[in-house]
């Protein structure tokens, strides 16, 4: 198993450009999450999904969109990049079987994004 | 907002036990307490979790008070490699929100 795979690892965008951060997991997990982490700060939840076709907003969803067409993939879309979106982005997943709360998160290695 | 309160930073001497407190006074009956840590800018690493009983694994021990309003993560013999930010999280099934965590510095 590869676990949670994020691509790319690094990216530099110009203001106003768009891009998609990819996240894939091969563990058949139901729940997936996107977080951002600004320098020296904790993780902030952007969006999450409890299964294919179901997504919901987290704490800081503005400027982002997500989709969940398959169990494996949970891409994060930035439509009009802004300097405030410079951050490290982490994707995570958890089995989420029957909504149990006693399952640990598996994290990807992160994508470092700079918007200049 | 995160449902937990942790000190911003703590120091610990190498080889000593590190005791990291967490306050979660609004925890409800079906919510688990989780601990993760993050070293530099790597993805957070799972440490331990519990519901109401104390738990121990190869990394740490988790002590949860009887009223479940607070807990303590114990690293029994801290090493320099344990220097990291430690996050205490109260988990509901569909949500996992991180606070600012405690920056633990282990000193020689």
């Amino acid at each position: 198993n590869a676990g949670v795979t994020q691509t790319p690892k690094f990216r530099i965008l110009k203001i106003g450009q768009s891009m998609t951060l990819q996240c894939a997991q091969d563990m058949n997990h139901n729940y997936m999450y996107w977080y951002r982490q600004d320098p020296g700060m904790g993780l902030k939840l952007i969006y999450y999904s409890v299964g294919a076709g179901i997504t919901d907003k987290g704490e800081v969803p503005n400027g982002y969109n997500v989709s969940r067409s398959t169990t494996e993939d949970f891409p994060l879309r930035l439509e009009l990049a802004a300097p405030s979106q410079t951050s490290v982005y982490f994707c995570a997943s958890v089995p989420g079987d029957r909504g149990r709360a006693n399952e640990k998160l598996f994290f990807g290695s992160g994508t470092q994004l700079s918007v200049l | 907002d995160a449902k937990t309160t942790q000190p911003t930073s703590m120091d610990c001497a190498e080889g000593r036990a590190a005791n990291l407190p967490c306050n979660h006074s609004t925890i409800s009956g079906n919510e688990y307490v989780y601990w993760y840590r993050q070293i530099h800018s790597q993805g957070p690493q799972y440490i331990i979790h519990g519901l109401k009983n104390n738990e121990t694994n190869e990394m740490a021990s988790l002590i949860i008070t009887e009223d479940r309003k607070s807990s303590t993560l114990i690293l029994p013999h801290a090493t320099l490699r344990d220097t990291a930010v430690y996050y205490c999280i109260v988990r509901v099934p569909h949500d996992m929100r991180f606070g600012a965590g405690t920056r633990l510095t282990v000193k020689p």
Side-chain angles (χ1 to χ4, degrees):
Chain A
N1 284 350
V4 179
T5 303
Q6 289 184 241
T7 55
K9 292 191 184 302
F10 305 94
R11 183 73 183 267
I12 298 174
L13 285 181
K14 294 183 180 179
I15 294 172
Q17 285 186 318
S18 300
M19 80 162 292
T20 299
L21 281 66
Q22 301 291 345
C23 176
Q25 51 89 11
D26 60 0
M27 298 173 283
N28 202 33
H29 286 176
N30 290 320
Y31 293 1
M32 296 185 74
Y33 306 82
W34 273 107
Y35 296 90
R36 61 174 286 173
Q37 186 173 34
D38 298 336
M41 307 294 285
L43 282 77
K44 294 287 188 182
L45 181 64
I46 306 172
Y47 270 96
Y48 66 94
S49 168
V50 300
I54 306 170
T55 63
D56 209 344
K57 297 178 181 179
E59 304 169 86
V60 290
N62 291 344
Y64 306 94
N65 281 300
V66 293
S67 59
R68 185 95 183 271
S69 57
T70 66
T71 299
E72 293 78 20
D73 300 299
F74 190 38
L76 178 72
R77 179 81 177 165
L78 284 71
E79 291 293 349
L80 293 170
S84 61
Q85 293 176 305
T86 293
S87 193
V88 179
Y89 292 83
F90 290 102
C91 179
S93 73
V94 70
D97 293 335
R98 296 185 293 276
R100 291 188 309 195
N102 61 340
E103 299 163 324
K104 64 181 183 181
L105 277 174
F106 291 78
F107 278 88
S109 56
T111 293
Q112 189 167 321
L113 177 67
S114 296
V115 182
L116 305 175
Chain B
D1 289 334
K3 300 180 181 181
T4 61
T5 304
Q6 298 177 252
T8 302
S9 63
M10 293 181 64
D11 292 341
C12 178
E14 187 179 19
R16 296 294 193 108
N19 296 282
L20 291 87
C22 179
N23 197 322
H24 32 80
S25 57
T26 60
I27 194 170
S28 60
N30 65 342
E31 292 179 327
Y32 282 73
V33 179
Y34 275 78
W35 284 83
Y36 286 78
R37 73 179 183 184
Q38 188 176 27
I39 299 173
H40 298 301
S41 295
Q42 300 174 20
Q45 175 190 22
Y46 167 82
I47 301 173
I48 199 166
H49 75 279
L51 183 62
K52 50 186 174 183
N53 297 322
N54 298 337
E55 302 287 345
T56 296
N57 63 20
E58 66 278 2
M59 287 183 69
S61 295
L62 174 61
I63 308 297
I64 303 174
T65 58
E66 194 168 340
D67 63 6
R68 303 215 317 126
K69 293 185 177 183
S70 65
S71 61
T72 301
L73 177 74
I74 301 172
L75 307 179
H77 304 288
T79 71
L80 299 179
R81 286 179 292 183
D82 291 322
T83 292
V85 177
Y86 288 76
Y87 297 99
C88 169
I89 303 154
V90 170
R91 167 96 197 277
V92 295
H94 62 276
D95 201 350
M96 180 77 86
R97 301 196 180 196
F98 287 70
T102 296
R103 182 171 297 278
L104 175 69
T105 302
V106 181
K107 298 186 174 182

